[in-house]
Coordinates of all heavy atoms in Angstrom, one line a residue:
M1 N 8.0 -6.9 -5.5 CA 8.3 -5.6 -4.8 C 9.2 -4.7 -5.7 O 10.2 -5.3 -6.2 CB 8.9 -5.8 -3.5 CG 8.9 -4.5 -2.6 SD 9.8 -4.8 -1.1 CE 8.7 -6.0 -0.3
K2 N 8.9 -3.5 -5.9 CA 9.7 -2.6 -6.7 C 11.0 -2.3 -6.0 O 11.0 -2.1 -4.8 CB 8.9 -1.4 -7.1 CG 7.6 -1.6 -7.8 CD 7.2 -0.4 -8.6 CE 5.9 -0.8 -9.4 NZ 4.8 -1.2 -8.5
E3 N 12.0 -2.2 -6.8 CA 13.4 -1.9 -6.3 C 13.4 -0.7 -5.4 O 14.0 -0.7 -4.3 CB 14.3 -1.7 -7.5 CG 15.8 -2.0 -7.2 CD 16.0 -3.4 -6.7 OE1 15.4 -4.4 -7.2 OE2 16.8 -3.5 -5.7
W4 N 12.8 0.4 -5.9 CA 12.8 1.7 -5.1 C 12.1 1.6 -3.8 O 12.2 2.5 -3.0 CB 12.3 2.8 -6.0 CG 11.0 2.6 -6.7 CD1 10.8 2.2 -8.0 CD2 9.7 2.8 -6.1 NE1 9.5 2.1 -8.2 CE2 8.8 2.4 -7.1 CE3 9.2 3.2 -4.8 CZ2 7.4 2.5 -6.9 CZ3 7.9 3.2 -4.6 CH2 6.9 2.9 -5.6
A5 N 11.2 0.6 -3.6 CA 10.4 0.5 -2.4 C 11.0 -0.4 -1.4 O 10.6 -0.4 -0.2 CB 9.0 0.0 -2.8
K6 N 12.1 -1.2 -1.8 CA 12.6 -2.1 -0.9 C 13.2 -1.5 0.4 O 12.9 -2.1 1.5 CB 13.8 -2.9 -1.6 CG 13.3 -4.1 -2.3 CD 14.5 -4.9 -2.9 CE 14.0 -6.0 -3.7 NZ 14.9 -6.6 -4.6
E7 N 13.9 -0.4 0.3 CA 14.5 0.2 1.4 C 13.4 0.6 2.4 O 13.5 0.4 3.6 CB 15.3 1.4 1.0 CG 16.2 1.9 2.1 CD 17.0 3.1 1.6 OE1 17.2 3.3 0.4 OE2 17.4 3.9 2.5
F8 N 12.3 1.1 1.9 CA 11.2 1.5 2.8 C 10.6 0.3 3.5 O 10.4 0.3 4.7 CB 10.1 2.2 2.0 CG 8.8 2.4 2.8 CD1 8.7 3.3 3.8 CD2 7.7 1.6 2.5 CE1 7.6 3.4 4.6 CE2 6.5 1.7 3.2 CZ 6.5 2.6 4.3
Y9 N 10.3 -0.8 2.7 CA 9.6 -1.9 3.3 C 10.5 -2.6 4.3 O 10.0 -3.4 5.2 CB 9.2 -2.9 2.2 CG 7.9 -2.5 1.6 CD1 7.8 -2.1 0.2 CD2 6.7 -2.4 2.3 CE1 6.7 -1.7 -0.4 CE2 5.5 -2.0 1.7 CZ 5.5 -1.6 0.4 OH 4.3 -1.2 -0.2
H10 N 11.8 -2.4 4.2 CA 12.7 -3.0 5.2 C 13.0 -2.1 6.4 O 13.8 -2.5 7.3 CB 14.0 -3.5 4.5 CG 13.8 -4.7 3.6 ND1 14.3 -4.7 2.3 CD2 13.1 -5.8 3.8 CE1 13.9 -5.9 1.8 NE2 13.2 -6.6 2.7
S11 N 12.5 -0.9 6.3 CA 12.9 0.1 7.4 C 12.1 -0.3 8.7 O 11.0 -0.9 8.7 CB 12.5 1.5 7.0 OG 11.1 1.6 6.9
K12 N 12.8 0.1 9.8 CA 12.2 -0.2 11.1 C 10.9 0.6 11.3 O 9.9 0.1 11.8 CB 13.2 0.2 12.2 CG 12.6 -0.1 13.6 CD 13.8 -0.1 14.7 CE 13.2 -0.1 16.1 NZ 12.0 -0.7 16.4
N13 N 10.9 1.9 10.8 CA 9.7 2.7 10.9 C 8.5 2.0 10.3 O 7.4 2.0 10.8 CB 9.9 4.0 10.1 CG 10.5 5.1 11.0 OD1 10.6 4.9 12.2 ND2 11.0 6.1 10.4
W14 N 8.6 1.4 9.1 CA 7.5 0.7 8.4 C 7.1 -0.5 9.2 O 5.9 -0.7 9.4 CB 7.8 0.4 7.0 CG 6.8 -0.5 6.4 CD1 7.0 -1.8 5.9 CD2 5.4 -0.3 6.2 NE1 5.9 -2.3 5.5 CE2 4.8 -1.4 5.6 CE3 4.6 0.8 6.5 CZ2 3.5 -1.5 5.3 CZ3 3.2 0.7 6.2 CH2 2.7 -0.4 5.6
K15 N 8.1 -1.3 9.6 CA 7.8 -2.5 10.3 C 7.0 -2.2 11.6 O 6.1 -2.9 11.9 CB 9.1 -3.3 10.6 CG 9.6 -4.0 9.4 CD 10.9 -4.7 9.6 CE 11.5 -5.3 8.3 NZ 12.8 -5.9 8.5
D16 N 7.5 -1.2 12.3 CA 6.8 -0.8 13.6 C 5.4 -0.3 13.3 O 4.4 -0.7 14.0 CB 7.5 0.3 14.3 CG 8.8 -0.2 14.9 OD1 9.0 -1.5 14.9 OD2 9.6 0.6 15.4
T17 N 5.2 0.5 12.3 CA 3.9 1.1 11.9 C 3.0 0.0 11.5 O 1.8 -0.1 11.9 CB 4.1 2.1 10.8 OG1 5.0 3.2 11.2 CG2 2.7 2.7 10.4
R18 N 3.5 -0.9 10.6 CA 2.7 -2.0 10.1 C 2.1 -2.9 11.2 O 1.0 -3.2 11.2 CB 3.6 -2.8 9.1 CG 2.9 -3.9 8.4 CD 3.9 -4.7 7.6 NE 3.3 -5.9 7.0 CZ 3.2 -7.0 7.7 NH1 3.6 -7.1 9.0 NH2 2.6 -8.0 7.2
L19 N 3.0 -3.2 12.1 CA 2.7 -4.1 13.2 C 1.6 -3.5 14.1 O 0.6 -4.1 14.5 CB 3.9 -4.5 14.0 CG 3.8 -5.8 14.8 CD1 3.6 -7.0 13.9 CD2 5.1 -6.0 15.7
A20 N 1.9 -2.2 14.5 CA 1.0 -1.5 15.4 C -0.4 -1.3 14.7 O -1.4 -1.5 15.4 CB 1.6 -0.1 15.7
Y21 N -0.4 -1.1 13.4 CA -1.6 -0.9 12.7 C -2.4 -2.3 12.6 O -3.6 -2.3 12.9 CB -1.4 -0.4 11.3 CG -2.7 -0.1 10.6 CD1 -3.4 1.1 10.8 CD2 -3.2 -1.0 9.7 CE1 -4.6 1.3 10.2 CE2 -4.4 -0.8 9.0 CZ -5.1 0.4 9.3 OH -6.3 0.7 8.7
L22 N -1.7 -3.3 12.3 CA -2.3 -4.6 12.3 C -2.9 -5.0 13.6 O -4.1 -5.5 13.7 CB -1.3 -5.7 11.9 CG -1.1 -5.9 10.4 CD1 0.1 -6.9 10.1 CD2 -2.3 -6.4 9.7
K23 N -2.2 -4.7 14.7 CA -2.6 -5.0 16.0 C -3.9 -4.2 16.3 O -4.9 -4.8 16.9 CB -1.5 -4.6 17.0 CG -1.3 -5.6 18.2 CD -0.2 -5.1 19.1 CE 1.0 -6.1 19.1 NZ 2.1 -5.6 19.9
A24 N -3.9 -3.0 15.9 CA -5.1 -2.1 16.2 C -6.3 -2.6 15.4 O -7.5 -2.4 15.8 CB -4.8 -0.7 15.8
Q25 N -6.1 -3.3 14.3 CA -7.2 -3.9 13.5 C -7.5 -5.3 13.9 O -8.2 -6.1 13.3 CB -6.9 -3.9 12.0 CG -6.5 -2.5 11.5 CD -7.4 -1.4 11.8 OE1 -8.7 -1.6 11.7 NE2 -6.9 -0.2 12.2
H26 N -6.8 -5.8 15.0 CA -7.0 -7.1 15.5 C -6.6 -8.2 14.4 O -7.1 -9.3 14.4 CB -8.4 -7.4 16.0 CG -8.9 -6.4 17.0 ND1 -8.4 -6.3 18.3 CD2 -9.7 -5.3 16.8 CE1 -9.0 -5.2 18.9 NE2 -9.8 -4.6 18.0
Y27 N -5.7 -7.8 13.6 CA -5.1 -8.7 12.5 C -6.2 -9.2 11.6 O -6.2 -10.3 11.1 CB -4.4 -9.9 13.1 CG -3.2 -9.4 13.9 CD1 -3.2 -9.2 15.3 CD2 -1.9 -9.3 13.3 CE1 -2.1 -8.8 16.0 CE2 -0.8 -8.9 14.0 CZ -0.9 -8.6 15.3 OH 0.2 -8.2 16.0
L28 N -7.3 -8.4 11.4 CA -8.4 -8.8 10.6 C -8.5 -7.9 9.3 O -8.2 -6.7 9.4 CB -9.7 -8.7 11.3 CG -9.9 -9.8 12.5 CD1 -11.2 -9.5 13.2 CD2 -9.8 -11.2 12.0
C29 N -8.8 -8.5 8.2 CA -9.0 -7.8 7.0 C -10.2 -6.8 7.2 O -11.2 -7.2 7.6 CB -9.3 -8.8 5.8 SG -9.8 -8.0 4.3
E30 N -10.0 -5.6 6.8 CA -11.0 -4.5 7.0 C -12.1 -4.7 6.0 O -13.1 -4.0 6.1 CB -10.3 -3.2 6.9 CG -9.4 -2.9 8.0 CD -8.8 -1.4 7.9 OE1 -9.6 -0.5 7.9 OE2 -7.6 -1.3 7.9
R31 N -12.0 -5.5 5.0 CA -13.0 -5.7 4.0 C -13.9 -6.9 4.2 O -15.1 -6.9 3.9 CB -12.4 -5.7 2.6 CG -11.7 -4.4 2.2 CD -11.4 -4.3 0.8 NE -10.5 -3.1 0.6 CZ -10.0 -2.7 -0.6 NH1 -10.2 -3.4 -1.6 NH2 -9.3 -1.6 -0.6
C32 N -13.2 -8.0 4.6 CA -14.0 -9.3 4.7 C -13.9 -10.0 6.0 O -14.6 -10.9 6.3 CB -13.6 -10.2 3.5 SG -12.0 -10.9 3.8
G33 N -13.0 -9.5 6.9 CA -12.9 -10.1 8.2 C -12.1 -11.3 8.3 O -11.9 -11.9 9.4
E34 N -11.5 -11.7 7.2 CA -10.5 -12.9 7.3 C -9.2 -12.3 7.9 O -9.0 -11.1 8.0 CB -10.2 -13.4 5.9 CG -11.4 -14.0 5.2 CD -11.7 -15.4 5.8 OE1 -10.8 -16.1 6.1 OE2 -12.9 -15.6 6.0
P35 N -8.3 -13.3 8.3 CA -7.0 -12.8 8.9 C -6.3 -11.9 7.9 O -6.2 -12.3 6.7 CB -6.3 -14.1 9.1 CG -7.4 -15.1 9.3 CD -8.5 -14.7 8.4
A36 N -5.8 -10.8 8.4 CA -5.1 -9.8 7.5 C -3.7 -10.3 7.3 O -3.0 -10.7 8.3 CB -5.2 -8.4 8.1
K37 N -3.2 -10.2 6.1 CA -1.8 -10.5 5.8 C -1.0 -9.3 5.4 O 0.2 -9.4 5.6 CB -1.8 -11.5 4.6 CG -2.4 -12.9 4.9 CD -1.3 -13.8 5.5 CE -1.7 -15.2 5.6 NZ -2.8 -15.4 6.6
V38 N -1.6 -8.3 4.8 CA -0.9 -7.2 4.3 C -1.5 -5.9 4.8 O -2.6 -5.8 5.1 CB -0.8 -7.2 2.8 CG1 0.1 -8.2 2.2 CG2 -2.2 -7.3 2.3
V39 N -0.6 -4.9 4.9 CA -1.1 -3.5 5.2 C -0.9 -2.8 3.9 O 0.2 -2.6 3.4 CB -0.4 -2.8 6.3 CG1 -0.8 -1.4 6.5 CG2 -0.6 -3.6 7.6
H40 N -2.1 -2.4 3.3 CA -2.1 -1.8 2.0 C -2.1 -0.3 2.1 O -2.6 0.3 3.1 CB -3.4 -2.3 1.3 CG -3.8 -1.5 0.1 ND1 -3.0 -1.6 -1.1 CD2 -4.8 -0.7 -0.2 CE1 -3.6 -0.8 -2.0 NE2 -4.7 -0.2 -1.5
H41 N -1.5 0.4 1.2 CA -1.5 1.9 1.1 C -2.7 2.3 0.2 O -2.6 2.0 -1.0 CB -0.2 2.4 0.6 CG 0.9 2.4 1.7 ND1 1.7 1.3 1.7 CD2 1.3 3.2 2.6 CE1 2.6 1.5 2.7 NE2 2.4 2.6 3.3
K42 N -3.7 3.0 0.8 CA -4.8 3.4 0.0 C -4.3 4.3 -1.2 O -4.8 4.2 -2.3 CB -5.8 4.2 0.8 CG -6.5 3.2 1.8 CD -7.5 4.1 2.7 CE -7.9 3.3 3.9 NZ -8.6 4.2 4.8
H43 N -3.5 5.3 -0.8 CA -2.9 6.1 -1.8 C -1.6 5.3 -2.1 O -0.6 5.3 -1.3 CB -2.5 7.5 -1.2 CG -2.0 8.5 -2.2 ND1 -2.7 9.5 -2.7 CD2 -0.8 8.5 -2.9 CE1 -2.0 10.2 -3.5 NE2 -0.9 9.6 -3.7
Y44 N -1.5 4.7 -3.3 CA -0.4 3.8 -3.6 C 0.9 4.5 -3.5 O 1.1 5.7 -3.8 CB -0.6 3.3 -5.1 CG -1.7 2.4 -5.3 CD1 -2.7 2.1 -4.3 CD2 -1.9 1.7 -6.5 CE1 -3.7 1.3 -4.5 CE2 -2.9 0.8 -6.7 CZ -3.8 0.6 -5.7 OH -4.9 -0.2 -6.0
L45 N 1.9 3.7 -3.1 CA 3.3 4.3 -3.0 C 3.8 4.4 -4.4 O 3.7 3.5 -5.3 CB 4.1 3.3 -2.2 CG 3.7 3.1 -0.7 CD1 4.8 2.3 0.0 CD2 3.5 4.5 0.0
T46 N 4.5 5.5 -4.6 CA 5.3 5.7 -5.8 C 6.7 6.2 -5.5 O 7.0 6.5 -4.3 CB 4.6 6.8 -6.7 OG1 4.7 8.1 -6.0 CG2 3.1 6.5 -6.9
K47 N 7.5 6.3 -6.5 CA 8.8 6.7 -6.3 C 8.8 8.1 -5.7 O 9.7 8.5 -5.0 CB 9.5 6.8 -7.7 CG 10.8 6.0 -7.7 CD 11.4 6.1 -9.1 CE 12.7 5.3 -9.1 NZ 13.3 5.4 -10.5
R48 N 7.8 8.9 -6.1 CA 7.7 10.3 -5.7 C 7.3 10.4 -4.2 O 7.8 11.4 -3.5 CB 6.6 11.0 -6.5 CG 7.1 12.0 -7.4 CD 6.0 12.5 -8.3 NE 6.3 12.2 -9.7 CZ 6.7 13.1 -10.5 NH1 6.9 14.3 -10.2 NH2 7.0 12.7 -11.8
N49 N 6.5 9.5 -3.7 CA 6.0 9.7 -2.3 C 6.6 8.8 -1.3 O 6.2 8.8 -0.1 CB 4.4 9.6 -2.3 CG 3.9 8.2 -2.6 OD1 4.6 7.2 -2.4 ND2 2.7 8.1 -3.0
I50 N 7.5 7.9 -1.8 CA 8.1 6.9 -0.9 C 8.8 7.5 0.3 O 8.9 6.8 1.3 CB 9.0 6.0 -1.7 CG1 9.4 4.7 -1.0 CG2 10.3 6.7 -2.2 CD1 8.2 3.7 -0.9
N51 N 9.3 8.7 0.2 CA 9.9 9.3 1.3 C 9.0 10.3 2.1 O 9.5 11.0 3.0 CB 11.2 10.1 0.9 CG 12.3 9.1 0.4 OD1 12.5 8.1 1.0 ND2 12.8 9.4 -0.8
N52 N 7.8 10.3 1.8 CA 6.8 11.2 2.4 C 6.1 10.4 3.5 O 5.1 9.6 3.2 CB 5.8 11.7 1.4 CG 4.8 12.7 2.0 OD1 4.7 12.8 3.2 ND2 4.0 13.3 1.1
T53 N 6.4 10.6 4.8 CA 5.9 9.8 5.8 C 4.4 10.1 6.1 O 3.7 9.3 6.7 CB 6.6 10.0 7.2 OG1 6.7 11.4 7.4 CG2 8.0 9.4 7.1
D54 N 3.9 11.3 5.5 CA 2.5 11.5 5.6 C 1.7 10.5 4.8 O 0.5 10.3 5.0 CB 2.1 13.0 5.1 CG 2.4 14.0 6.1 OD1 2.6 13.6 7.3 OD2 2.4 15.2 5.8
I55 N 2.3 10.0 3.8 CA 1.7 8.9 3.0 C 2.1 7.5 3.5 O 1.2 6.7 3.7 CB 2.2 9.1 1.5 CG1 1.8 10.4 0.9 CG2 1.7 7.9 0.6 CD1 0.5 10.6 0.3
T56 N 3.4 7.3 3.6 CA 3.9 6.0 3.9 C 3.5 5.5 5.3 O 3.3 4.3 5.5 CB 5.4 5.9 3.7 OG1 6.0 6.8 4.6 CG2 5.8 6.3 2.3
L57 N 3.5 6.3 6.3 CA 3.4 5.9 7.7 C 2.1 6.4 8.3 O 1.8 6.3 9.5 CB 4.6 6.3 8.5 CG 5.9 5.7 8.1 CD1 7.0 6.3 9.0 CD2 6.0 4.2 8.1
N58 N 1.2 7.1 7.5 CA 0.0 7.7 8.0 C -1.1 6.6 8.1 O -1.5 6.0 7.1 CB -0.4 8.8 7.0 CG -1.6 9.6 7.6 OD1 -2.3 9.1 8.5 ND2 -1.9 10.7 7.0
W59 N -1.6 6.4 9.3 CA -2.6 5.4 9.5 C -3.8 5.6 8.7 O -4.5 4.7 8.3 CB -3.0 5.3 11.0 CG -2.0 4.5 11.8 CD1 -0.7 4.4 11.6 CD2 -2.3 3.7 13.0 NE1 -0.1 3.6 12.6 CE2 -1.1 3.2 13.4 CE3 -3.5 3.5 13.7 CZ2 -1.0 2.3 14.6 CZ3 -3.4 2.6 14.8 CH2 -2.2 2.1 15.2
D60 N -4.2 6.9 8.4 CA -5.3 7.2 7.6 C -5.2 6.7 6.2 O -6.1 6.5 5.4 CB -5.5 8.7 7.5 CG -6.1 9.3 8.8 OD1 -6.6 8.5 9.6 OD2 -5.9 10.5 9.0
N61 N -3.9 6.4 5.8 CA -3.6 5.9 4.4 C -3.5 4.4 4.4 O -3.2 3.8 3.4 CB -2.4 6.6 3.9 CG -2.2 6.3 2.4 OD1 -3.2 6.3 1.6 ND2 -1.0 6.0 2.0
L62 N -3.6 3.7 5.6 CA -3.4 2.3 5.6 C -4.7 1.5 5.7 O -5.7 2.0 6.2 CB -2.5 2.0 6.9 CG -1.2 2.7 7.0 CD1 -0.4 2.3 8.2 CD2 -0.3 2.4 5.7
E63 N -4.6 0.3 5.2 CA -5.8 -0.6 5.3 C -5.2 -2.0 5.5 O -4.4 -2.5 4.7 CB -6.6 -0.5 4.0 CG -7.9 -1.1 4.1 CD -8.7 -0.9 2.8 OE1 -8.1 -0.5 1.7 OE2 -9.9 -1.1 2.8
A64 N -5.7 -2.7 6.5 CA -5.3 -4.1 6.7 C -6.2 -5.0 5.8 O -7.4 -4.9 5.8 CB -5.6 -4.5 8.2
L65 N -5.5 -5.8 5.0 CA -6.2 -6.7 4.0 C -5.7 -8.1 4.1 O -4.5 -8.3 4.4 CB -6.0 -6.1 2.6 CG -6.6 -4.7 2.3 CD1 -6.2 -4.4 0.8 CD2 -8.1 -4.7 2.5
C66 N -6.6 -9.0 3.7 CA -6.1 -10.4 3.5 C -5.5 -10.5 2.1 O -5.7 -9.5 1.3 CB -7.3 -11.4 3.6 SG -8.5 -11.2 2.4
Q67 N -4.9 -11.6 1.8 CA -4.2 -11.7 0.5 C -5.2 -11.5 -0.7 O -5.0 -10.9 -1.7 CB -3.5 -13.0 0.4 CG -2.4 -13.1 -0.7 CD -1.3 -12.2 -0.3 OE1 -0.6 -12.4 0.7 NE2 -1.0 -11.2 -1.2
D68 N -6.4 -12.1 -0.5 CA -7.4 -12.1 -1.5 C -7.9 -10.7 -1.8 O -7.9 -10.3 -3.0 CB -8.7 -12.9 -1.0 CG -8.8 -14.2 -1.7 OD1 -7.8 -14.7 -2.2 OD2 -9.9 -14.7 -1.7
C69 N -8.2 -10.0 -0.8 CA -8.7 -8.6 -1.0 C -7.6 -7.7 -1.5 O -7.8 -6.8 -2.3 CB -9.3 -8.0 0.3 SG -10.8 -8.8 0.8
H70 N -6.4 -8.0 -1.1 CA -5.2 -7.2 -1.6 C -5.0 -7.4 -3.1 O -4.8 -6.5 -3.9 CB -4.0 -7.5 -0.8 CG -2.9 -6.5 -1.0 ND1 -1.6 -6.8 -1.5 CD2 -2.9 -5.1 -0.9 CE1 -0.9 -5.7 -1.6 NE2 -1.7 -4.7 -1.3
N71 N -5.1 -8.7 -3.5 CA -5.0 -9.0 -4.9 C -6.1 -8.3 -5.7 O -5.8 -7.8 -6.8 CB -5.1 -10.5 -5.1 CG -3.8 -11.3 -4.6 OD1 -2.8 -10.6 -4.4 ND2 -3.9 -12.6 -4.5
K72 N -7.3 -8.4 -5.2 CA -8.4 -7.8 -5.9 C -8.2 -6.3 -6.1 O -8.5 -5.8 -7.1 CB -9.7 -8.1 -5.1 CG -10.4 -9.4 -5.5 CD -11.7 -9.6 -4.8 CE -12.0 -11.1 -4.6 NZ -12.8 -11.4 -3.4
E73 N -7.8 -5.7 -5.0 CA -7.6 -4.3 -5.0 C -6.6 -3.9 -6.1 O -6.9 -3.0 -6.9 CB -7.0 -3.8 -3.6 CG -6.3 -2.4 -3.6 CD -7.3 -1.3 -3.8 OE1 -8.5 -1.4 -3.4 OE2 -6.9 -0.3 -4.4
H74 N -5.5 -4.6 -6.2 CA -4.5 -4.2 -7.2 C -4.9 -4.6 -8.6 O -4.6 -4.0 -9.6 CB -3.1 -4.7 -6.8 CG -2.5 -3.9 -5.7 ND1 -1.7 -2.8 -5.9 CD2 -2.6 -4.0 -4.3 CE1 -1.4 -2.3 -4.7 NE2 -1.9 -3.0 -3.8
H75 N -5.6 -5.8 -8.6 CA -6.0 -6.2 -10.0 C -7.1 -5.3 -10.5 O -7.0 -4.8 -11.6 CB -6.6 -7.7 -9.8 CG -6.9 -8.3 -11.1 ND1 -6.0 -8.6 -12.1 CD2 -8.1 -8.6 -11.7 CE1 -6.5 -9.1 -13.1 NE2 -7.8 -9.1 -13.0
A76 N -8.1 -4.9 -9.6 CA -9.1 -4.0 -10.0 C -8.6 -2.7 -10.4 O -9.0 -2.0 -11.4 CB -10.1 -3.8 -8.9
A77 N -7.5 -2.2 -9.7 CA -6.9 -1.0 -10.0 C -6.4 -0.9 -11.3 O -6.5 0.0 -12.1 CB -5.9 -0.7 -8.9
A78 N -5.7 -2.0 -11.7 CA -5.0 -2.1 -13.0 C -6.1 -2.1 -14.1 O -5.9 -1.5 -15.2 CB -4.2 -3.4 -13.1
D79 N -7.3 -2.7 -13.8 CA -8.3 -2.8 -14.8 C -9.1 -1.5 -15.0 O -9.4 -1.1 -16.1 CB -9.3 -3.9 -14.5 CG -8.7 -5.3 -14.8 OD1 -7.6 -5.3 -15.5 OD2 -9.2 -6.3 -14.4
T80 N -9.5 -0.9 -13.9 CA -10.6 0.1 -14.0 C -10.1 1.5 -13.8 O -10.7 2.5 -14.2 CB -11.7 -0.2 -13.0 OG1 -11.1 -0.1 -11.7 CG2 -12.3 -1.5 -13.2
R81 N -9.0 1.7 -13.0 CA -8.6 3.1 -12.7 C -7.8 3.6 -14.0 O -7.1 2.9 -14.7 CB -7.7 3.1 -11.5 CG -8.6 2.9 -10.3 CD -7.8 3.3 -9.0 NE -8.6 2.7 -7.9 CZ -8.1 2.7 -6.6 NH1 -6.9 3.3 -6.4 NH2 -8.8 2.3 -5.7
R82 N -8.0 4.9 -14.1 CA -7.4 5.5 -15.3 C -6.0 6.0 -15.0 O -5.6 7.1 -15.2 CB -8.2 6.7 -15.8 CG -9.5 6.2 -16.5 CD -10.1 7.4 -17.3 NE -10.4 8.5 -16.4 CZ -11.7 8.7 -16.0 NH1 -12.6 7.9 -16.4 NH2 -12.0 9.7 -15.2
Y83 N -5.2 5.0 -14.4 CA -3.8 5.3 -14.1 C -3.0 4.2 -14.6 O -3.4 3.0 -14.6 CB -3.6 5.5 -12.6 CG -4.3 6.7 -12.0 CD1 -5.5 6.5 -11.3 CD2 -3.8 8.0 -12.2 CE1 -6.1 7.6 -10.7 CE2 -4.5 9.1 -11.7 CZ -5.6 8.9 -11.0 OH -6.3 10.0 -10.4
R84 N -1.8 4.5 -15.0 CA -0.8 3.4 -15.2 C 0.5 3.9 -14.7 O 0.7 5.1 -14.3 CB -0.8 3.0 -16.6 CG -0.5 4.1 -17.6 CD -0.8 3.6 -19.0 NE -0.3 4.6 -20.0 CZ 0.9 4.7 -20.4 NH1 1.8 3.9 -20.0 NH2 1.3 5.7 -21.3
F85 N 1.5 3.1 -14.7 CA 2.8 3.4 -14.1 C 3.8 3.3 -15.2 O 3.8 2.4 -16.0 CB 3.2 2.5 -13.0 CG 2.2 2.6 -11.8 CD1 1.1 1.8 -11.8 CD2 2.5 3.5 -10.8 CE1 0.2 1.9 -10.7 CE2 1.6 3.6 -9.8 CZ 0.5 2.8 -9.7
D86 N 4.7 4.3 -15.3 CA 5.8 4.2 -16.2 C 6.9 3.3 -15.6 O 6.8 2.8 -14.5 CB 6.3 5.6 -16.6 CG 7.0 6.3 -15.5 OD1 7.4 5.7 -14.5 OD2 7.2 7.5 -15.6
A87 N 8.0 3.2 -16.3 CA 9.1 2.2 -15.9 C 9.7 2.6 -14.6 O 10.2 1.8 -13.9 CB 10.1 2.1 -17.0
D88 N 9.6 3.9 -14.2 CA 10.2 4.3 -13.0 C 9.2 4.2 -11.8 O 9.5 4.6 -10.7 CB 10.6 5.8 -13.1 CG 11.8 5.9 -14.0 OD1 12.6 5.0 -14.1 OD2 11.9 7.0 -14.7
G89 N 8.0 3.8 -12.1 CA 7.0 3.7 -11.0 C 6.2 4.9 -10.8 O 5.5 5.1 -9.8
N90 N 6.4 5.9 -11.7 CA 5.6 7.2 -11.6 C 4.2 6.9 -12.2 O 4.0 6.2 -13.1 CB 6.3 8.3 -12.3 CG 7.6 8.6 -11.8 OD1 7.7 8.8 -10.5 ND2 8.6 8.7 -12.6
V91 N 3.2 7.6 -11.5 CA 1.8 7.4 -12.0 C 1.6 8.3 -13.2 O 2.0 9.5 -13.2 CB 0.8 7.8 -10.9 CG1 -0.6 7.7 -11.4 CG2 1.0 7.0 -9.6
I92 N 1.0 7.7 -14.2 CA 0.6 8.5 -15.4 C -0.9 8.4 -15.5 O -1.5 7.3 -15.5 CB 1.2 7.9 -16.7 CG1 2.7 7.7 -16.6 CG2 0.8 8.7 -17.9 CD1 3.3 6.9 -17.7
A93 N -1.5 9.6 -15.4 CA -3.0 9.6 -15.6 C -3.2 9.5 -17.1 O -2.8 10.4 -17.8 CB -3.6 10.8 -15.0
T94 N -4.0 8.5 -17.5 CA -4.3 8.5 -18.9 C -5.6 9.2 -19.2 O -6.6 9.0 -18.5 CB -4.4 7.0 -19.4 OG1 -5.4 6.4 -18.6 CG2 -3.1 6.3 -19.3
T95 N -5.6 10.1 -20.2 CA -6.8 10.8 -20.4 C -7.9 10.0 -21.1 O -7.6 9.1 -21.9 CB -6.5 12.0 -21.3 OG1 -5.6 11.6 -22.4 CG2 -5.9 13.2 -20.6
P96 N -9.2 10.1 -20.6 CA -10.2 9.3 -21.1 C -10.5 9.5 -22.6 O -10.2 10.5 -23.2 CB -11.5 9.7 -20.4 CG -11.1 10.9 -19.7 CD -9.7 11.1 -19.7
Ligands
ZN101 ZN1 -10.3 -9.7 2.9
ZN102 ZN1 -1.5 -2.7 -1.8

């Protein structure tokens, strides 16, 4: 977990939102139906949006995932998306 995200992940707002969202998805992974372990942010969290509740706590931006699917999501993202992160966690779009 990135240092700048710690405060958010430990906040009551996030814990409440995460739990309510998981409950609504019946604690099942939205991709494969296995038990969900994580609530993923479709629009990845960055240092810039970490205080934007439209991103961080918006159910439209959340996805319940099992560990496997979550790993794949982030692994695939690193491989195929044309984005990378600088040392501060800011997204850098790399030009093709
Ligand atoms: Zn899954
Ligand atoms: Zn994720």
